[in-house]
Amino acid sequence: MGDFSPDVINASVSGASFENIDELLNHALSVMDDTDASVEKVVICLGTNDITRNRSDPDEVNVNATSAVNCVKSRFPSAKIGLCTIIPRKGKGQSILKLNETTQSVNNFLAKLCKKDSSVSLIDTFNIFCQNGNAVRPLYDINDPSGVHISDKGVDKYIVELSSFFGTL
């Protein structure tokens, strides 16, 4: 599995959503060695929990995603922002199909959001985890009944996309 440089801070919190962006940014700032240091890049990898909570309302997720991007831009006005697409759920059934339909709708919105703003780049993780309309099963944790947590192989693929954004390939 790849490693990022020590200058990369992972401010993830289990269960977080776009609505938690302030808390996540505060956490990142609290662990920075030099809070006056210039932040060059910020990646937002959220949305899976938003989809679960708003499975039939992509507009609510879109509003929250836009607010999260605006929050990052206001905190780090000179930073380049990477916005990850939301990965699909693994599995079958109406519930999973609805979640993945909402995911696609939100991802389409995220792509448009990034095209409108040159400071925000789309990091397309969805198409790594979905091929021919189906989740790529080996990239998901086989012990996860929710169908959202990824395997070590999935993490490696995710890291390649993030590394490309950070320019560390």
Side-chain angles (χ1 to χ4, degrees), residues 57-132:
D57 190 4
D59 291 339
E60 181 71 22
V61 181
N62 295 344
V63 166
N64 292 339
T66 302
S67 293
V69 168
N70 289 335
C71 182
V72 171
K73 285 170 62 173
S74 71
R75 288 273 190 103
F76 305 108
S78 61
K80 183 78 175 153
I81 300 168
L83 182 57
C84 293
T85 53
I86 302 166
I87 66 172
R89 293 286 175 113
K90 174 189 78 170
K92 303 272 184 224
Q94 278 306 113
S95 178
I96 297 293
L97 288 174
K98 183 61 183 165
L99 288 169
N100 287 339
E101 182 181 294
T102 301
T103 296
Q104 278 287 55
S105 176
V106 171
N107 285 341
N108 290 338
F109 174 82
L110 297 178
K112 290 175 187 170
L113 181 68
C114 291
K115 282 184 180 175
K116 289 181 185 176
D117 189 335
S118 63
S119 69
V120 185
S121 298
L122 190 70
I123 302 173
D124 188 1
T125 51
F126 180 88
N127 285 314
I128 295 167
F129 290 88
C130 185
Q131 294 179 353
N132 300 321

Side-chain angles (χ1 to χ4, degrees), residues 3-75:
D3 283 320
F4 290 122
S5 77
D7 293 338
V8 173
I9 296 170
N10 179 353
S12 64
V13 174
S14 181
S17 68
F18 286 121
E19 293 174 321
N20 300 109
I21 197 69
D22 261 340
E23 171 189 341
L24 299 171
L25 294 175
N26 287 338
H27 173 66
L29 289 168
S30 74
V31 298
M32 287 176 66
D33 289 334
D34 179 4
T35 55
D36 293 329
S38 174
V39 173
E40 295 175 22
K41 295 183 179 181
V42 176
V43 174
I44 303 171
C45 297
L46 296 168
T48 301
N49 294 323
D50 298 86
I51 296 293
T52 302
R53 291 180 193 128
N54 299 288
R55 70 183 66 218
S56 60
D57 190 4
D59 291 339
E60 181 71 22
V61 181
N62 295 344
V63 166
N64 292 339
T66 302
S67 293
V69 168
N70 289 335
C71 182
V72 171
K73 285 170 62 173
S74 71
R75 288 273 190 103

